[in-house]
Amino acid sequence: AMPADEAKVNTVDVLCFQTDPGYPTDVDRGTFLYRATVGYTAGASTFSVILAEQAENQTLVVLANCRTQVESLLSTISRGDTKASVISSLVLSQSTAFDASTMTGIPMWGEITNQDVTASYAPVGLQVFLTRMLARINITNTEADFVLQEAYLYNPRQKGSMIPDNWNSVQKIVNAPTVVAGAEMPRGTTFGPFTTSATNKIENKIFTFEADNIAKAGADPLDATCLVVGGLYKGTTSYYRVEMKDYGGDNFIDVKRNYTYNVTLDGIDFEGAGQPADAYTGRAMIKATVEAWNDRHAMVTAGNNHLKVSTNVLSFPSSVGNDIIDVFTDHPDGWVIDKIEGPSGETIDWLTATPDNGAANVTQPLTIDVLEAGLVNRSAFIHLKADNMTVVITVNQLRKETLTLSKNIDAAGSFNDISGLYNSNEEVQLPATSDNDGYVWDGWYNTSSGQKVAGDPRQPVISLTNGYNHEYQARWIEIPTIKQGTKLGTGDGHLLFNGEEGPYYPYDGETIIVTGT
């Protein structure tokens, strides 16, 4: 798979910052102390660093393949400068497409937080996870009537921050792209064409900086980062716009560092535009799937060996359940489960993963089982290890949901309270409620929205799907006494006879007289 250099480390620099004791893992916090002396051989997976003893704890910021930018940065910063200002200053600029065939290493960042560096400081086996600053886009065509030939990237960015400012230190991913001043180029700027690497595939050719695509698409779709794919539709040259979005939910997605966006062309129903620019400004007449993978979790590389999983995040409802992912490594020693822990490193007793190891060059199914949850949402992290490569799988489980039912204080009648805890993604059918003299049962209402619960008015169904508390109120309405000769009000109305709903009577200016009792 090209390019091999996307995982290569050519240079290593370490910048040391004073840790903010109140926010030890916040990437934006802290102040600059000094640049450490580093010993590193290109292509190796370890390096040595000489640190200076300080009174305060230190955060060690590791930058790979950034030597030119680091040298330039050091001429502009001083001890005491905020880490946030350093982040905004350490920027890579490129106003043309990255050429994967000539790339010599993607800039990467990682850090080791909150280290108490004293004269006796000599840790063994410290690891730093490096995150690439670029995103990658791959395209696969499965439409039988279309032959993919090329693609263009519209509205890419020309600058990117080497250090993210939206880092999730638990999951080791960025929460959102880091927006760099001056990164936008004129609307309609194009990189490409990127030609096919194999039949109906464009792989490992399109690399780009992060982009705040959700905000741009919300303001004007012509400012959004998107693709235009071209090829032969039933023998005719055609171009189609493909959005960077979740087509199933019709939601745009941001372009984030260290993610691979696997775009699959699922179906084309019409002949497309004759030119790429016309497709960019026109309608996207194409069925596509855009699948985002976080490369930090999906695959890691060390030398010629790899460790990868089919997915890096699993989500479970509160009930007992299981799921299966695939694990693969080509390291001759195979892989093992190194540890399973909670967000603070605590022991986990509600999750198991089997088997606990796998052989080399075998795609091994790994079964994840979870027990029934309690009153809080919970997460766990499964660390898979092959030699010095580690992949972390995040497992999330929703808590049980609290259902509270309250009786309307103004209503008369019986009340069957089924308040309690229920599994998420569960439907609860409320019991039938009897009518009472002078009142009629009107249903259950959500106390937050005021809306009546859907379902049969006497046995509505509450769907518990959101992981929150649900509060509902039982309501009865009083049956009015209607005497013979009563004139009804204007508009459409209806009558109740012995608690049963009667016909609707449109009011047309005439008097409607109630006959009967």
Side-chain angles (χ1 to χ4, degrees), residues 95 153-158 182-191 222-225 280:
S95 58
L153 182 65
Y154 274 81
N155 297 323
R157 301 294 184 261
Q158 63 179 342
E184 289 185 55
M185 292 189 281
R187 175 186 285 181
T189 297
T190 308
F191 287 172
L222 289 180
D223 291 327
T225 300
Y280 161 66

Side-chain angles (χ1 to χ4, degrees), residues 375-387:
L375 299 178
V376 296
N377 295 331
R378 56 191 183 185
S379 298
F381 304 95
I382 304 172
H383 295 251
L384 304 182
K385 191 175 181 66
D387 193 41

Side-chain angles (χ1 to χ4, degrees), residues 6-274:
E6 71 178 23
K8 186 176 181 180
V9 176
N10 298 305
T11 62
V12 172
D13 291 280
V14 176
L15 304 181
C16 301
F17 292 79
Q18 177 180 330
T19 300
D20 185 326
Y23 306 89
T25 62
D26 190 330
V27 72
D28 287 324
R29 305 281 184 152
T31 54
F32 178 66
L33 293 174
Y34 63 96
R35 179 191 190 182
T37 299
V38 175
Y40 176 70
T41 302
S45 59
T46 62
F47 63 93
S48 61
V49 58
I50 300 175
L51 302 174
E53 183 177 357
Q54 302 283 321
E56 310 86 1
N57 281 12
Q58 300 179 42
T59 292
L60 317 179
V61 174
V62 180
L63 296 162
N65 305 327
C66 303
R67 178 63 51 80
T68 301
Q69 290 76 21
V70 169
E71 296 284 359
S72 176
L73 171 74
L74 290 171
S75 65
T76 65
I77 63 174
S78 304
R79 184 184 177 97
D81 285 352
T82 65
K83 197 176 178 191
S85 68
V86 173
I87 290 176
S88 64
S89 300
L90 199 55
V91 171
L92 178 65
S93 300
Q94 182 156 319
S95 58
T96 58
F98 289 94
D99 184 353
S101 64
T102 61
M103 289 169 71
T104 57
I106 297 175
M108 307 181 203
W109 158 90
E111 47 185 69
I112 303 171
T113 60
N114 206 25
Q115 298 295 296
D116 184 13
V117 181
T118 63
S120 60
Y121 179 78
V124 178
L126 274 181
Q127 284 191 326
V128 59
F129 295 103
L130 298 179
T131 301
R132 306 177 189 90
M133 70 173 297
L134 300 181
R136 174 176 52 189
I137 301 174
N138 290 332
I139 306 171
T140 300
N141 171 51
T142 62
E143 167 56 58
D145 290 331
F146 181 68
V147 178
L148 177 66
Q149 294 179 326
E150 61 184 14
Y152 296 83
L153 182 65
Y154 274 81
N155 297 323
R157 301 294 184 261
Q158 63 179 342
K159 290 182 181 179
S161 174
M162 293 183 175
I163 302 176
D165 62 6
N166 287 285
W167 181 248
N168 185 319
S169 59
V170 175
Q171 295 186 352
K172 293 185 170 59
I173 59 174
V174 289
N175 292 322
T178 300
V179 178
V180 176
E184 289 185 55
M185 292 189 281
R187 175 186 285 181
T189 297
T190 308
F191 287 172
F194 302 96
T195 57
T196 52
S197 51
T199 303
N200 280 317
K201 289 186 178 182
I202 299 174
E203 293 182 317
N204 302 319
K205 288 192 172 185
I206 306 175
F207 291 82
T208 186
F209 292 122
E210 291 184 300
D212 51 337
N213 205 39
I214 296 174
K216 296 303 178 187
D220 191 327
L222 289 180
D223 291 327
T225 300
C226 68
L227 296 166
V228 169
V229 296
L232 299 177
Y233 178 70
K234 296 183 178 180
T236 301
T237 298
S238 294
Y239 291 90
Y240 305 89
R241 174 171 173 149
V242 180
E243 307 288 5
M244 297 299 293
K245 71 177 185 180
D246 168 17
Y247 274 79
D250 197 29
N251 299 312
F252 282 86
I253 58 178
D254 286 328
V255 179
K256 298 189 288 188
R257 70 182 61 213
N258 214 55
Y259 274 74
T260 293
Y261 295 90
N262 295 314
V263 178
T264 302
L265 310 180
D266 298 319
I268 302 174
D269 298 325
F270 305 97
E271 184 177 309

Side-chain angles (χ1 to χ4, degrees), residues 433-455:
T433 305
S434 61
D435 295 336
N436 298 273
D437 291 342
Y439 291 89
V440 63
W441 170 245
D442 191 46
W444 291 95
Y445 286 76
N446 186 307
T447 55
S448 297
S449 67
Q451 299 296 310
K452 184 184 292 189
V453 178

